[in-house]
Amino acid sequence: MENKICLECGEKVIGRIDKKFCSDYCRNAFNNKVNKESKNLIRNTNNRLRKNYKILSELNTSGKTKVTRRKLFDRGFDFKFITSLYTTKTGNTYFYVYDQGYLVLENELYLLVKQD
């Protein structure tokens, strides 16, 4: 019978023939290391979306509000992070972060809207 060693700590593995780790702790530690890169990307993206949502929610208390690009930018809004786009029949494109959205107007003004 072949002696197997734990993929995480190198200790001898006892048990089923297909077992790869000596304990749940080692299995979790190994998988956390393997998935660290993708989890960080997802976590950072969700944090940016959450921040954008909070900024839009705080500025748009009435359901429709006009604000300047500078006001959004000064609060840390990142225009690269949105969850969806909506294009109207007239060709206007609304950018949404969940149910909070904005429409680019002229003179660096933005119309903030809340989707029903």
Side-chain angles (χ1 to χ4, degrees), residues 30-106:
F30 180 85
N31 288 323
N32 286 339
K33 285 180 193 174
V34 168
N35 296 323
K36 185 177 182 181
E37 292 296 319
S38 64
K39 284 183 180 179
N40 282 340
L41 174 66
I42 292 167
R43 184 181 310 113
N44 291 339
T45 301
N46 284 336
N47 286 338
R48 292 280 182 97
L49 288 170
R50 188 178 301 114
K51 184 175 182 180
N52 279 356
Y53 184 82
K54 183 179 176 192
I55 292 166
L56 292 174
S57 297
E58 289 172 351
L59 292 174
N60 186 18
T61 56
S62 64
K64 275 191 179 180
T65 308
K66 287 185 182 178
V67 296
T68 62
R69 179 178 176 84
R70 172 59 58 193
K71 191 176 243 185
L72 290 167
F73 188 73
D74 287 347
R75 290 183 178 230
F77 191 83
D78 191 336
F79 291 92
K80 294 180 286 191
F81 288 88
I82 61 170
T83 55
S84 63
L85 294 170
Y86 175 70
T87 304
T88 64
K89 291 178 184 176
T90 58
N92 294 327
T93 301
Y94 287 83
F95 300 85
Y96 279 93
V97 180
Y98 304 112
D99 66 339
Q100 296 287 337
Y102 63 89
L103 172 67
V104 181
L105 302 173
E106 34 191 60

Side-chain angles (χ1 to χ4, degrees), residues 4-13 19-23 26-27 30:
K4 297 195 107 187
I5 58 168
C6 177
L7 295 177
E8 177 63 19
C9 69
E11 293 289 319
K12 184 177 176 183
V13 175
K19 195 171 177 183
K20 298 178 183 178
F21 304 98
C22 64
S23 67
C26 283
R27 179 177 48 82
F30 180 85

